[in-house]
Amino acid sequence: LHLTFPRYEAQFIKLIIKEVVRRLDARQLDVPKYIVGAESELVLKISRWLQNESSEVEVGIIHGPGGVGKTTIAKVVYNGNYGRFESSSFLANVRAACMKDIEFIHLQKQLIRNVTRDRKIKIDSISDGRQKIKKVIGTKKILVVLDDVDEVEFGKMFDCPDWFFPGSKILITSQNRNFLINDKSIARFEGCLLDVEESANLFAYHAFRQTHPPQDYIDISMQFIKYCGGLPLALEVVASSLRSISLEKWELQYAKLSDYLDENVLNVLLLSYDSLRDSAVKDIFLHIAFFMVGKKKEYALKILDGCGLHGEIGLEILIGKCLVSVDEGNDTFVMHQLIQHMGYEVVRQKPPIELGCRSRILGQKNAYEVLRKKTGSSTIKGLHLHIPNPHDDDISPEEIYIAHSAKRMRTTYIPTHSSRQASLHFKPIKTEAFTKMSNLDLLLLDNVQLHGGFEDFPKGIKWLLWLGCPLKEIPADFEFDELVVLDMQKSCLVHAWNGLKYVGALKVLNLSHSHQLRCTPDLSSAHMLEHLSCKDCITLVEVHESIGKLENLTYLNMEGCVKLVTWPESMGTFKKLSSFSAKGCITLRNLPTNLLAFFSMV
């Protein structure tokens, strides 16, 4: 063999030498011993970009939520590709270094040393460092990786990519997927969550130092794996914390994590939230985290705009920060369950920590306690109390919770551990429990009975969702002046309300599945109404003539109103109507021609 194939032996020796040199090279970055996805398509895609031999200065960005593994991926591709450049530098934790001048100057020195190999670098100030960096990086083709940056940090380090020598590459990791540098074209690479098999492998390695959980641990391990939702950081931290705990205590640890997010994971996820500079955007994030995951984007934006938060702009920022996603299939808000849990922790840990002083109240036990003890305060912006109805089937209308999952983000759960929850006996809530909640914007009630008058009820509610409302009629002293969305599905309403009621801000009215409703309310003042649904109102016999004046109506659903016979004679043209259905209205006789064009009635 030695005499017959000398060429192959020589090539083999070269490979060995190359590997030895690589391992001894000080430029090699330390990476975890066990990496799931080191040979992934994402790593190969970034490597191909680094090897494209372009003569242009090119910028690439690895974006994704905190803990998704952006830094590890950047290290892997750096280790595999820096030898293709004349010089290279990997700058870690740039955003943190930017907060202190002395640390940022240290980062500037590191870049210059890496490129020039000159250890005797002196920098007097940040501006002095910028000038020296400009001279150095313009002399040779280099690879620079900036870990954890946004536009502000990049601009502090370099004015523009034109400082670099042709053919150089700048690779960035950031939680901002919308990262921009003047008019520079940027190659974008998305850090994805691990699938179940990859998650199980990573979890098993850190918990058991093997590729799969032992047989006795499979069921409980899958609970933790599901909890982590494919986030590599969470899988590593949670699995490592379990190594010294006996199997009997794993269930207790799972219960704890369901209530309280691991501090190490929380601190990483908080970086994205803390980077939000606008308080209105933070409010949007918390509203979505607490009350809008699974909601239709259009439905939620109406509410957010009604709260004065400029939802479209804020949502774009949150999507850019990888905190929220919109499922393209059904246009609903999606959020990774641990990011949502982080939102809960933001509210829970903000002083004062008393339950009634939190900005948002979620969860059966917490919401019921605040209302029963009447401890609510003016700091509460949103509250959701769900009381289960054992005789009721789940409903799934257009804007109610939608259960689904996505590779990029996942929908979630309310973090409570059911096995430790005592069965609650629910009594009717007195309306005076809401008296001090003067800033309440969002009120979500499921199968809740309210006793008392509404004269002192919060006047600024923008979204009232009261599923299974037991009232026959909304009282006259219940003011709707600022209400944007009124969702009263499965209610016991007969007339909704009597006479003219001011609902000038109302955009969505949903009375679907209210089987005792006989007449739609007077909507003469609802000039902004866009969405009206009376689906499955099986005793509805009359549609109020004011419906003909709804010039902004775009959606009208009267499906299943089997007793509806006539339509108001005085009808508008519904110039903006884009969706209408009267399927199942088998007794309806005088439907206007302009509505017949939409759907068949049967």
Side-chain angles (χ1 to χ4, degrees):
L1 181 65
H2 174 74
L3 296 174
T4 310
F5 299 102
R7 182 178 59 176
Y8 296 122
E9 186 178 76
Q11 289 178 346
F12 185 62
I13 291 172
K14 286 181 180 180
L15 288 173
I16 293 175
I17 294 173
K18 184 178 180 180
E19 179 64 16
V20 171
V21 170
R22 186 189 70 80
R23 295 191 179 191
L24 294 176
D25 192 340
R27 291 178 294 175
Q28 281 284 308
L29 300 174
D30 184 37
V31 295
K33 292 181 179 180
Y34 188 80
I35 303 175
V36 173
E39 303 295 330
S40 68
E41 180 58 33
L42 177 60
V43 170
L44 296 175
K45 185 177 180 181
I46 300 171
S47 294
R48 286 194 293 268
W49 172 74
L50 290 171
Q51 299 166 15
N52 65 14
E53 300 298 335
S54 172
S55 60
E56 299 292 324
V57 176
E58 293 188 333
V59 180
I61 174 175
I62 306 172
H63 62 82
V68 81
K70 301 183 294 296
T71 300
T72 300
I73 292 170
K75 287 181 176 180
V76 170
V77 297
Y78 176 87
N79 283 347
N81 291 277
Y82 67 78
R84 297 175 179 274
F85 298 83
E86 295 177 71
S87 287
S88 61
S89 181
F90 187 102
L91 303 180
N93 301 315
V94 177
R95 178 165 52 171
C98 282
M99 296 180 181
K100 294 182 179 180
D101 287 357
I102 189 170
E103 292 184 11
F104 189 73
I105 289 173
H106 176 76
L107 213 60
Q108 290 178 316
K109 289 180 180 179
Q110 180 187 338
L111 174 59
I112 296 173
R113 288 193 191 108
N114 291 155
V115 173
T116 65
R117 308 291 185 180
D118 183 0
R119 312 299 297 179
K120 299 177 182 179
I121 300 298
K122 183 180 180 181
I123 295 177
D124 297 323
S125 64
I126 291 177
S127 59
D128 178 43
R130 282 168 56 84
Q131 291 304 313
K132 289 178 178 177
I133 287 173
K134 184 177 181 180
K135 292 178 182 179
V136 166
I137 64 177
T139 60
K140 60 179 74 174
K141 186 172 82 168
I142 64 174
L143 167 63
V144 174
V145 178
L146 302 175
D147 177 45
D148 190 22
V149 297
D150 212 329
E151 288 103 331
V152 173
E153 292 82 35
F154 184 91
K156 192 173 182 179
M157 183 69 74
F158 316 111
D159 259 359
C160 60
D162 294 339
W163 285 9
F164 287 80
F165 192 83
S168 294
K169 291 284 199 297
I170 309 164
L171 182 62
I172 295 165
T173 73
S174 178
Q175 295 181 9
N176 183 4
R177 66 183 300 163
N178 294 330
F179 194 105
L180 297 173
I181 304 173
N182 299 328
D183 297 325
K184 190 72 177 177
S185 177
I186 298 177
R188 301 182 188 275
F189 309 100
E190 182 173 15
C192 292
L193 303 171
L194 302 180
D195 62 26
V196 174
E197 183 177 355
E198 292 169 335
S199 297
N201 289 342
L202 186 60
F203 179 88
Y205 174 80
H206 286 281
F208 310 107
R209 286 293 187 260
Q210 58 189 54
T211 56
H212 295 89
Q215 188 65 35
D216 292 346
Y217 285 79
I218 289 179
D219 291 342
I220 185 63
S221 292
M222 290 308 299
Q223 291 186 53
F224 284 104
I225 291 167
K226 183 178 179 181
Y227 167 83
C228 293
L231 197 69
L233 171 71
L235 288 161
E236 293 177 19
V237 170
V238 170
S240 297
S241 71
L242 294 168
R243 291 182 63 187
S244 60
I245 300 176
S246 63
L247 176 60
E248 292 75 18
K249 294 184 179 179
W250 276 40
E251 189 71 26
L252 296 176
Q253 181 70 1
Y254 180 74
K256 178 183 175 183
L257 288 175
S258 295
D259 287 337
Y260 302 103
L261 193 60
D262 180 274
E263 188 173 352
N264 293 316
V265 176
L266 174 62
N267 290 337
V268 171
L269 297 179
L270 275 173
L271 294 174
S272 294
Y273 177 80
D274 291 339
S275 71
L276 300 174
R277 298 177 177 87
D278 190 333
S279 61
V281 179
K282 288 185 175 181
D283 263 342
I284 292 173
F285 169 74
L286 294 175
H287 274 343
I288 294 175
F290 272 74
F291 308 115
M292 296 178 176
V293 172
K295 288 287 191 282
K296 290 281 189 180
K297 173 185 171 183
E298 181 184 5
Y299 179 84
L301 286 179
K302 287 180 172 62
I303 298 166
L304 295 171
D305 288 341
C307 294
L309 296 175
H310 304 283
E312 194 75 54
I313 297 172
L315 179 61
E316 184 176 346
I317 293 172
L318 293 175
I319 292 174
K321 294 287 186 181
C322 302
L323 288 169
V324 180
S325 180
V326 177
D327 187 275
E328 296 179 0
N330 49 33
D331 202 38
T332 55
F333 284 156
V334 183
M335 183 179 290
H336 190 281
Q337 57 198 34
L338 296 186
I339 292 178
Q340 186 178 31
H341 202 156
M342 177 267 287
Y344 299 157
E345 289 295 321
V346 167
V347 170
R348 186 178 69 84
Q349 295 183 11
K350 185 176 182 180
I353 62 174
E354 288 82 3
L355 186 58
C357 293
R358 296 178 186 175
S359 65
R360 292 156 185 85
I361 310 294
L362 180 67
Q364 191 180 95
K365 183 177 182 296
N366 288 347
Y368 183 69
E369 179 181 332
V370 168
L371 295 178
R372 182 177 64 85
K373 295 181 179 179
K374 304 175 186 176
T375 58
S377 66
S378 61
T379 58
I380 297 178
K381 296 181 179 181
L383 183 145
H384 181 192
L385 173 57
H386 168 76
I387 297 178
N389 185 346
H391 306 294
D392 198 7
D393 295 328
D394 290 336
I395 58 174
S396 54
E398 298 85 355
E399 293 89 14
I400 301 304
Y401 302 97
I402 298 174
H404 63 283
S405 64
K407 175 77 172 179
R408 188 182 310 154
M409 297 280 207
R410 288 180 171 88
T411 50
T412 186
Y413 55 90
I414 297 173
T416 56
H417 193 60
S418 57
S419 66
R420 301 187 304 128
Q421 295 295 314
S423 179
L424 295 175
H425 174 66
F426 298 100
K427 299 178 180 179
I429 302 297
K430 295 182 179 180
T431 54
E432 62 190 59
F434 293 89
T435 301
K436 296 180 181 179
M437 300 184 197
S438 56
N439 292 306
L440 188 65
D441 284 328
L442 317 177
L443 178 58
L444 289 72
L445 304 172
D446 300 350
N447 306 309
V448 176
Q449 294 186 49
L450 297 183
H451 284 186
F454 289 86
E455 183 178 353
D456 296 324
F457 210 74
K459 303 294 191 294
I461 296 175
K462 313 301 187 300
W463 178 22
L464 175 59
L465 186 150
W466 194 350
L467 303 182
C469 170
L471 299 178
K472 300 295 182 183
E473 177 184 309
I474 297 173
D477 57 355
F478 198 140
E479 295 186 16
F480 286 169
D481 291 31
E482 299 182 33
L483 200 63
V484 175
V485 172
L486 178 58
D487 198 330
M488 305 287 282
Q489 297 179 71
K490 285 208 167 182
S491 73
C492 296
L493 294 173
V494 176
H495 298 290
W497 61 81
N498 274 324
L500 179 62
K501 195 174 190 69
Y502 181 74
V503 286
L506 193 65
K507 291 187 176 183
V508 176
L509 175 58
N510 196 338
L511 301 171
S512 297
H513 313 287
S514 297
H515 290 169
Q516 298 180 45
L517 188 70
R518 295 185 58 81
C519 176
T520 62
D522 186 344
L523 297 171
S524 299
S525 65
H527 307 297
M528 302 290 290
L529 194 66
E530 301 173 8
H531 179 119
L532 175 58
S533 181
C534 294
K535 181 180 179 180
D536 187 40
C537 291
I538 56 177
T539 61
L540 187 72
V541 294
E542 181 183 352
V543 174
H544 195 276
E545 62 179 10
S546 60
I547 195 172
K549 302 176 184 178
L550 302 177
E551 297 180 354
N552 288 302
L553 198 67
T554 60
Y555 178 96
L556 179 58
N557 191 343
M558 307 299 292
E559 287 184 24
C561 297
V562 293
K563 291 189 176 181
L564 185 60
V565 178
T566 62
W567 201 263
E569 294 182 3
S570 175
M571 285 296 297
T573 58
F574 293 123
K575 294 180 181 180
K576 296 184 179 181
L577 194 67
S578 59
S579 178
F580 170 74
S581 179
K583 292 179 182 179
C585 297
I586 54 178
T587 58
L588 188 58
R589 296 288 178 263
N590 67 332
L591 197 65
T593 305
N594 62 314
L595 294 183
L596 283 172
F598 284 92
F599 291 102
S600 168
M601 290 188 295
V602 294

